[in-house]
Amino acid sequence: MQNPFSSNYRDKSDDELIDSAVNGSVAALEALIYRHQHFIYNIALKMMGNVQDAQDITQEILIKIITKLSQFKKESNFRTWLYRITFNHFLQMKKSMSELATESFEVVEKQLDSIPSQALSLLEESEMRDEIEETKLACMNGMLLCLERDQRLVFILGELFNVNHDLGANLLNISKDNFRQKLSRARKDLYNFMNKKCGLIRKDNPCRCSSKTKGFILAGKVNPDNLQFNKDYLKTIQEVIGQKKDEYDDFVTENYAVIFTKHPFQEKEHKQIIFNRLINNESLSNIFSLGDNDSMSKQ
């Protein structure tokens, strides 16, 4: 899987797939979709903190890209064109229920405090390790929702997906200084909250993922029979993106953000679900029927 956010990313393969897709090859269109779908979905999942929302938003973005594909004139590189469409969609869409329920760090703090802590025995910790990890992921995704949407996107790109400041500014169509300022503010806000509250950052903080797990289950925030985040996955974000090498500003921390990069990078469940939605979408039916002799949907 080629990382579209690496500095040595080349658009040649994209251009070849675009030419074939515009000429009617569904196989080429599928390959182009799969080449970028995982990254769009995983950023959407961090932006929204909700699997269903992430799937819906990824579908909406891919529909935009597919319907506008013939308008791409290669005056800029495809990565820039595609991800500007993607990030504009993130910034302009209506607030989700998850966002409305998580307005600020103060709200999240009150929500966490309202969930009783219950220490687990060593046996329970072993038996509930998947649920404990799900609790951690759900809680940390909730923290991200406390950031303003533009700050959240910059943090996800710059901190989790290791997008350097030049590329990040270009993809968001803002200045490099603006990108750096938003990233610096997001880092500080998130770190200040975690340093105050989270036991993952400071051992003397009382909030522990394991002790909150039963409470999260009782509150309906974690469903042991239907885990949303800690599901079947192959790699972490860090493993997909590579080692962090981007520059830091003058705000020095104990690299708390590495905890976020160890979150799952989801590739499996959403892949066919979203593509099946696309090929059955009424507005795209003509596009997908152009080359249905080579379509994976017939396999």
Side-chain angles (χ1 to χ4, degrees):
M1 180 192 306
Q2 190 175 11
N3 173 12
F5 302 128
S6 66
S7 58
N8 60 356
Y9 181 80
R10 297 292 178 265
D11 294 77
K12 182 178 179 182
S13 297
D14 285 332
D15 292 341
E16 292 171 350
L17 291 172
I18 291 167
D19 290 340
S20 297
V22 171
N23 286 326
S25 171
V26 174
L29 186 59
E30 289 171 359
L32 187 66
I33 289 170
Y34 289 155
R35 187 174 169 87
H36 293 278
Q37 175 182 323
H38 299 315
F39 291 92
I40 295 172
Y41 175 80
N42 278 275
I43 294 174
L45 186 59
K46 291 302 179 189
M47 283 293 293
M48 297 294 104
N50 180 283
V51 169
Q52 186 60 54
D53 286 342
Q55 289 179 355
D56 292 344
I57 291 164
T58 302
Q59 177 185 338
E60 292 167 7
I61 291 168
L62 290 174
I63 288 173
K64 279 187 177 181
I65 291 166
I66 292 167
T67 54
K68 293 181 178 181
L69 196 58
S70 62
Q71 301 172 24
F72 176 62
K73 304 303 181 184
K74 300 182 182 178
E75 294 171 354
S76 63
N77 62 57
F78 181 69
R79 173 177 65 177
T80 301
W81 182 83
L82 182 151
Y83 285 102
R84 280 187 177 177
I85 291 174
T86 299
F87 300 152
N88 282 336
H89 188 90
F90 286 147
L91 295 174
Q92 294 172 5
M93 62 191 178
K94 292 181 179 180
K95 282 195 173 184
S96 67
M97 293 296 293
S98 298
E99 288 177 301
L100 292 172
T102 313
E103 296 178 348
S104 66
F105 287 107
E106 290 75 20
V107 170
V108 168
E109 184 172 12
K110 289 178 181 178
Q111 291 173 346
L112 285 172
D113 289 343
S114 70
I115 295 175
S117 296
Q118 186 174 346
L120 302 181
S121 67
L122 291 177
L123 178 59
E124 286 177 317
E125 285 196 17
S126 176
E127 292 176 340
M128 299 179 68
R129 61 184 181 275
D130 288 341
E131 290 85 353
I132 293 171
E133 182 68 14
E134 177 81 355
T135 297
K136 181 183 80 174
L137 296 172
C139 186
M140 294 182 72
N141 285 333
M143 294 177 196
L144 288 177
L145 292 176
C146 298
L147 298 171
E148 293 293 331
R149 194 180 275 179
D150 57 341
Q151 284 187 331
R152 193 187 324 152
L153 180 55
V154 168
F155 181 85
I156 292 168
L157 294 177
E159 203 70 272
L160 276 66
F161 285 84
N162 197 20
V163 175
N164 68 49
H165 296 171
D166 289 320
L167 177 59
N170 186 31
L171 294 178
L172 290 171
N173 201 25
I174 60 177
S175 70
K176 182 177 177 180
D177 284 344
N178 197 358
F179 186 90
R180 287 176 62 91
Q181 289 167 7
K182 290 179 184 292
L183 180 56
S184 177
R185 172 51 59 189
R187 283 171 172 166
K188 290 176 182 178
D189 288 348
L190 194 57
Y191 175 77
N192 286 340
F193 176 77
M194 294 183 73
N195 190 53
K196 171 186 174 184
K197 194 74 181 175
C198 182
L200 294 171
I201 300 300
R202 288 180 55 189
K203 292 182 179 179
D204 55 340
N205 283 334
C207 195
R208 292 286 189 280
C209 304
S210 59
S211 65
K212 290 291 185 180
T213 296
K214 286 187 176 180
F216 267 57
I217 292 171
L218 288 173
K221 295 179 180 296
V222 167
N223 182 351
D225 298 321
N226 185 24
L227 300 180
Q228 296 296 295
F229 306 111
N230 186 30
K231 301 189 75 168
D232 188 22
Y233 64 95
L234 302 173
K235 298 177 181 178
T236 64
I237 295 173
Q238 186 180 66
E239 289 171 323
V240 171
I241 300 303
Q243 197 66 27
K244 180 75 176 175
K245 294 180 180 178
D246 194 19
E247 67 268 37
Y248 278 84
D249 58 18
D250 58 1
F251 179 64
V252 180
T253 73
E254 51 202 274
N255 200 15
Y256 72 98
V258 72
I259 304 172
F260 284 93
T261 67
K262 291 181 179 179
H263 287 194
F265 184 88
Q266 301 290 350
E267 301 175 55
K268 303 179 79 174
E269 181 180 71
H270 68 276
K271 179 178 179 180
Q272 198 59 44
I273 291 174
I274 295 175
F275 186 78
N276 286 340
R277 287 189 191 178
L278 292 174
I279 63 175
N280 291 310
N281 184 280
E282 199 170 312
S283 64
L284 299 181
S285 59
N286 291 333
I287 295 174
F288 280 99
S289 66
L290 286 174
D292 59 5
N293 59 309
D294 64 352
S295 174
M296 187 179 73
S297 62
K298 290 200 168 190
Q299 293 180 6

